[in-house]
Amino acid sequence: MSKIYSSITELVGRTPLVELTNFEKDNNLKAKILGKLEYFNPTGSVKDRAALSMLEGAEKDGRLKPGQTVVETTSGNTGIALAAFCAAKNHPLIIYMEPGCTPERIQIMKAYGTDVRGLNDIPGADAILKEFGFNPVKLMEAVGKEAKEKDYFYVGQLFNEDNPKAHYETTGPELVEDTDGKIDIAVMLVGTAGTIAGVGTYLKDNIKGVKVVGVQPTPDSLSFVPDAKATIDGVVVFQTEEKPCSHPFIVKRNFQFDEIINVSGEAAYESARELATSDGIFLGASAAAALTAAKELALRPENEGKNIVAVFADNGMKYLSTNMYRFD
C-alpha cells in the first residue's frame, strides 16, 4: 500500500537504532553500543525534532502567524532544520550564525532561501562583544529585542520549552519502544541541552536504574579556539568542577547526570574514521564524541552485557571541509 506525504515536516522522527556489531568485535567490547541515527531525519540531524516542535508549538498558540518572519541564532544544524521547515511553511527566515560553523552549513541554509548573517550583524552586537565577549545569552537577548521591535517570531531555542518537549515526546519514547525498555546507559552531548534534558528525563521516568551520561568536548576542541585542528562544534563544555551547569533546561528540571565524560576532538575523529570503515556509518563530530564515550563505557568490566545507547546527532557530510575526514 502506497504512502504519499504532503510535506517534509511529516518525515521527522522514527529514526533507526543500530547495533555497532563490527565496531564491538574489533574493540573486543562486552557491552552493546546502540546508535540512534538522527541523520535519518529529513535535513540530516537531531535538530529537526526541536526545530519543528518550536515552529508548530508557536503556530498552535498564535505566537507565529502565517507568513511571519522567523529569526534565530545558531551554530548550524538548528538553522538548517528551521530553513527547511520555514521554506515548507512559507515563513521568511533570518539566521545569525555563531562562530565555528562549517561552510557547508551556511551553503545549505542559503539554498533554502535563508537570510544568513553573522553575529556582528545583530543590533548592538559590537557593544555586547566588547563588554562581555562571546556571551550567547546577551546576544540572544539582543535578537529577541530586535524581533519584538520588527514583529518577527524569535525561536529562542535555548529557552523554548518546545525544544526538550520534542525529545520527551518523541526521541525518548522511540528509544524505549525499540529496546523494549532495555537501556542501561544513555550517552548524549549538550548544545542547548534540549536533547539530553528531554531524552534523559523521559528515560529516567520510564526505566528504573538507567544512567544518563553527558559528554563534553575538551576545552581545546571547541570550534572557536584559535588554531584548533580537531574540533567538536555545536556543543559546549557544560559543567566543570569550577563552573556548575547553567543550561536553563537542565537547571529548571534539576536534571542530574550520572557521569560526565570529556572527549577530545582527536579521539572523536579517530572513532568516526574507525566506524566508517567497520560498520559503514558516517558520523559527524559530536556524534563521534558520543561514540568515543560509549566505547569508554563499554570497555569497563562492570558494564559487560549492558545496552549502551548513544544519540548520533548528524552524519559527516557537513564536516568535509574540516580535518575530520581529510586523508591527504
Side-chain angles (χ1 to χ4, degrees), residues 71 77 81 86-87 92 94 101 112 131 133 137 140 142 172 175 182 205 209 224 236 244 260 268 283 291 301:
V71 62
N77 278 333
C86 282
I94 300 170
C101 176
Y112 285 120
E131 182 176 356
V137 174
M140 288 177 181
L175 288 170
K182 296 175 182 177
D205 285 349
F224 52 81
V236 297
I260 295 173
L283 297 182
L291 170 63

Side-chain angles (χ1 to χ4, degrees), residues 33 35 42 49 59-60 65 83 89 102 116 129 182 185 188 217 223 228 235 270 275 278 286 289 291 305 325:
I33 298 180
R49 296 178 187 265
E59 288 174 335
K60 186 175 181 179
K65 302 172 182 64
K89 291 173 174 289
T102 60
V116 182
L129 292 169
K182 296 175 182 177
I185 304 170
M188 287 161 278
S223 58
V235 294
E270 183 179 343
L275 187 66
S278 69
S286 66
L291 170 63
Y325 292 107

Side-chain angles (χ1 to χ4, degrees), residues 117-176:
R117 306 176 183 179
L119 289 185
N120 288 330
D121 296 318
I122 297 173
D126 289 343
I128 292 170
L129 292 169
K130 184 176 180 180
E131 182 176 356
F132 301 101
F134 176 59
N135 187 311
V137 174
K138 293 291 183 183
L139 291 166
M140 288 177 181
E141 289 173 352
V143 174
K145 182 180 178 182
E146 179 198 27
K148 188 173 182 180
E149 292 172 350
K150 295 185 177 180
D151 194 30
Y152 296 159
F153 169 65
Y154 174 45
V155 178
Q157 60 178 317
L158 192 61
F159 307 100
N160 192 321
E161 284 296 325
D162 288 322
N163 178 349
K165 179 182 178 183
H167 298 291
Y168 191 90
E169 292 185 348
T170 68
T171 322
E174 288 172 24
L175 288 170
V176 172

Side-chain angles (χ1 to χ4, degrees), residues 8-13 38-45 48 84-85 112:
I8 193 174
T9 61
E10 299 174 23
L11 307 180
V12 177
E38 285 297 290
Y39 59 80
F40 274 72
N41 280 306
T43 80
S45 87
D48 282 15
F85 301 144
Y112 285 120

Side-chain angles (χ1 to χ4, degrees), residues 67-291:
Q68 188 176 14
T69 296
V70 175
V71 62
E72 179 63 315
T73 59
T74 176
S75 62
N77 278 333
T78 300
I80 291 171
L82 287 171
F85 301 144
C86 282
K89 291 173 174 289
N90 296 311
H91 291 291
L93 175 65
I94 300 170
I95 289 292
Y96 290 106
M97 290 301 303
E98 297 172 14
C101 176
T102 60
E104 295 94 329
R105 296 183 183 188
I106 296 172
Q107 288 175 283
I108 293 170
M109 280 182 271
K110 287 183 176 180
Y112 285 120
T114 300
D115 181 353
V116 182
R117 306 176 183 179
L119 289 185
N120 288 330
D121 296 318
I122 297 173
D126 289 343
I128 292 170
L129 292 169
K130 184 176 180 180
E131 182 176 356
F132 301 101
F134 176 59
N135 187 311
V137 174
K138 293 291 183 183
L139 291 166
M140 288 177 181
E141 289 173 352
V143 174
K145 182 180 178 182
E146 179 198 27
K148 188 173 182 180
E149 292 172 350
K150 295 185 177 180
D151 194 30
Y152 296 159
F153 169 65
Y154 174 45
V155 178
Q157 60 178 317
L158 192 61
F159 307 100
N160 192 321
E161 284 296 325
D162 288 322
N163 178 349
K165 179 182 178 183
H167 298 291
Y168 191 90
E169 292 185 348
T170 68
T171 322
E174 288 172 24
L175 288 170
V176 172
E177 180 181 344
D178 289 345
T179 60
D180 293 325
K182 296 175 182 177
I183 300 174
D184 298 291
I185 304 170
V187 179
M188 287 161 278
L189 280 84
V190 174
T192 64
T195 303
I196 199 164
V199 174
T201 302
Y202 185 87
L203 294 182
K204 284 185 173 291
D205 285 349
N206 289 274
I207 301 176
K208 184 177 180 180
V210 68
K211 293 183 178 180
V212 176
V213 175
V215 183
Q216 59 188 14
T218 54
D220 60 345
S221 301
L222 294 168
S223 58
F224 52 81
V225 174
D227 301 321
K229 294 182 179 179
T231 62
I232 305 172
D233 63 0
V235 294
V236 297
V237 177
F238 59 90
Q239 184 167 305
T240 65
E241 292 182 3
E242 299 78 23
K243 178 187 174 185
C245 186
S246 60
H247 271 58
F249 301 131
I250 295 173
V251 173
K252 185 176 288 188
R253 289 162 180 73
N254 192 30
F255 187 80
Q256 301 296 312
F257 300 97
D258 295 286
E259 184 177 350
I260 295 173
I261 293 178
N262 298 307
V263 173
S264 70
E266 290 87 352
Y269 285 17
E270 183 179 343
S271 295
R273 293 166 183 155
E274 180 181 355
L275 187 66
T277 57
S278 69
D279 291 75
I281 296 174
F282 189 50
L283 297 182
S286 66
L291 170 63

